[in-house]
């Protein structure tokens, strides 16, 4: 459960199966990738890194990834996001435990954002202001569109 604009949570990963590398190979790696399972949810959560790399030297260590909800300034309610965990081994004989097809973490994102407003200009001189009014300026000169 994560709030937009709030703190995130950590996912800790530690393999329980050793990475066995045949003597002919020197670069045996288990990559663990994190990404939203559904394309529509890809902007709802962010991770502190995209992947973890486990090798024959560090397979017994824990690696941590932080998951946070992205503040999008849209009051879109509570959403469930499945964060997919995919493994990509570059090992000669891949244990079946490393290629599980449906590993994921369910993340519930809660929106606390106030509805936002937008202003814009379309093919100058057509303007829409923050209070949703439309104006057309057909005069020569410099105009201030918005001030901080």
């Amino acid at each position: 459960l994560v709030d937009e604009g709030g703190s995130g949570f950590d996912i800790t990963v530690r393999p329980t199966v050793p990475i066995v590398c045949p003597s002919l190979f020197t670069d045996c790696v288990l990559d663990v990738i994190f990404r939203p399972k559904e394309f529509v949810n890809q902007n709802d959560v962010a991770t502190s890194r995209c992947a973890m790399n486990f090798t024959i030297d560090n397979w017994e260590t824990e690696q941590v990834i932080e998951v946070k909800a992205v503040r999008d300034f849209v009051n879109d309610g509570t959403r469930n996001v499945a964060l997919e965990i995919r493994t990509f081994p570059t090992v000669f004989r891949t244990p079946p435990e490393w290629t599980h097809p449906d590993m994921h973490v369910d993340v519930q994102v809660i929106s606390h954002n106030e509805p936002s407003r937008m202003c814009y200009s379309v093919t100058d001189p057509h303007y829409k202001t923050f209070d949703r009014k439309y104006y057309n300026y057909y005069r020569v000169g410099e105009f201030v569109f918005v001030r901080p």
Side-chain angles (χ1 to χ4, degrees):
L1 183 65
V2 290
D3 289 337
E4 287 185 1
S7 60
F9 68 93
D10 291 338
I11 297 175
T12 303
V13 176
R14 185 178 61 83
T16 56
V17 177
I19 295 176
V20 179
C21 195
S23 59
L24 298 174
F25 297 92
T26 58
D27 194 22
C28 295
V29 176
L30 173 65
D31 291 326
V32 182
I33 310 292
F34 295 85
R35 66 180 180 204
K37 196 170 184 176
E38 310 249 341
F39 180 77
V40 71
N41 295 326
Q42 73 177 5
N43 295 322
D44 286 338
V45 294
T47 55
S48 58
R49 55 198 238 193
C50 297
M52 297 176 176
N53 304 98
F54 293 98
T55 66
I56 58 174
D57 297 324
N58 75 351
W59 75 271
E60 291 183 291
T61 62
E62 291 183 345
Q63 294 189 34
V64 178
I65 186 169
E66 183 184 21
V67 179
K68 293 182 93 172
V70 175
R71 187 164 185 201
D72 58 5
F73 299 99
V74 176
N75 194 7
D76 45 6
T78 300
R79 306 166 309 290
N80 292 315
V81 177
L83 190 62
E84 182 178 29
I85 303 170
R86 304 214 52 199
T87 55
F88 295 95
T90 58
V91 180
F92 183 65
R93 293 188 182 143
T94 304
E97 296 87 5
W98 290 359
T99 56
H100 192 279
D102 189 35
M103 290 190 295
H104 67 275
V105 175
D106 289 323
V107 180
Q108 189 173 40
V109 178
I110 297 177
S111 177
H112 290 291
N113 294 316
E114 295 297 320
S116 59
R117 299 277 175 107
M118 180 174 55
C119 66
Y120 59 86
S121 170
V122 178
T123 61
D124 209 27
H126 310 290
Y127 301 98
K128 180 180 176 186
T129 61
F130 289 112
D131 58 357
R132 298 185 179 136
K133 293 181 181 174
Y134 294 94
Y135 295 96
N136 297 307
Y137 288 111
Y138 295 104
R139 298 188 181 170
V140 176
E142 292 184 19
F143 302 95
V144 176
F145 194 60
V146 66
R147 290 183 203 258

